[in-house]
Amino acid sequence: MSISSRSENLARCRVLVVEDEYFLADDVAQALSAHGAEVVGPVGTLSEAEALARSRPLDVALLDINLRGELSYSVVDILRDRNVSVVFTTGYAETVIPASYAHVPIWQKSTEIDRQMDDLIALLREKCHLHRP
C-alpha cells in the first residue's frame, strides 16, 4: 500500500490514546497519525484520560486497562455515555475483564507493533465509520 493511500485510511478519525508505557504510546500515536488519524493524547494517567474523555470530540479510544495501578473502566463508562467506541489495548486475558466490559474489542499489546498495526487500523476504521454521517 502506498503512503498516500495509507494516510487516508483513518482520515478525520479522532482517536484518544491512553497508554502509560511511553514508547508504546508514542509508536501507536505515530502510526495512527501516519494513517491520517487525529490523535488525542497520548496520555498515561486515569485523571488525564477521564478529562479528555469528557471534553474532546472523539470517535474511538484506545485504552490500556491498567494505568499505573488504576483501572480505566471509568473512562469506558464516560465514553459509552458519549457514544464513543472503545478498544482495549492490553496484555490481559479476556477472562480477567469484567463481564460488563466484555463487549469491548481487545487489541493485545505486543512489541511487534508493525505486524499488528494493519489489524488495528482496520478495526479503528470500522469504529470510526460508525460515527460518520
Side-chain angles (χ1 to χ4, degrees):
M1 183 180 291
S2 72
I3 296 296
S4 61
S5 63
R6 286 182 68 149
S7 68
E8 297 174 8
N9 281 337
L10 294 174
R12 296 180 310 276
C13 184
R14 296 164 301 220
V15 183
L16 172 61
V17 177
V18 179
E19 172 59 60
D20 61 356
E21 294 180 35
Y22 173 80
F23 291 110
L24 180 58
D26 188 55
D27 286 348
V28 169
Q30 286 185 31
L32 293 173
S33 291
H35 283 81
E38 176 187 330
V39 177
V40 178
V43 296
T45 67
L46 184 60
S47 61
E48 291 172 310
E50 288 175 337
L52 289 174
R54 285 186 184 101
S55 65
R56 295 291 298 271
L58 301 167
D59 297 299
V60 180
L62 296 176
L63 298 180
D64 183 2
I65 292 175
N66 186 337
L67 299 169
R68 299 180 184 142
E70 296 184 293
L71 300 178
S72 66
Y73 299 123
S74 60
V75 180
V76 179
D77 297 335
I78 293 166
L79 294 169
R80 181 177 30 207
D81 289 345
R82 295 186 62 205
N83 198 32
V84 174
S85 295
V86 175
V87 175
F88 284 136
T89 58
T90 187
Y92 287 178
E94 291 180 34
T95 56
V96 301
I97 296 172
S100 57
Y101 300 100
H103 67 285
V104 177
I106 296 171
W107 183 62
Q108 289 291 330
K109 287 186 195 180
S110 170
T111 56
E112 299 176 13
I113 191 171
D114 291 338
R115 291 181 55 202
Q116 293 183 312
M117 189 51 65
D118 288 339
D119 292 338
L120 180 62
I121 296 299
L123 179 61
L124 292 181
R125 188 181 321 117
E126 177 184 315
K127 296 289 181 189
C128 283
H129 290 297
L130 290 175
H131 300 286
R132 296 289 178 213

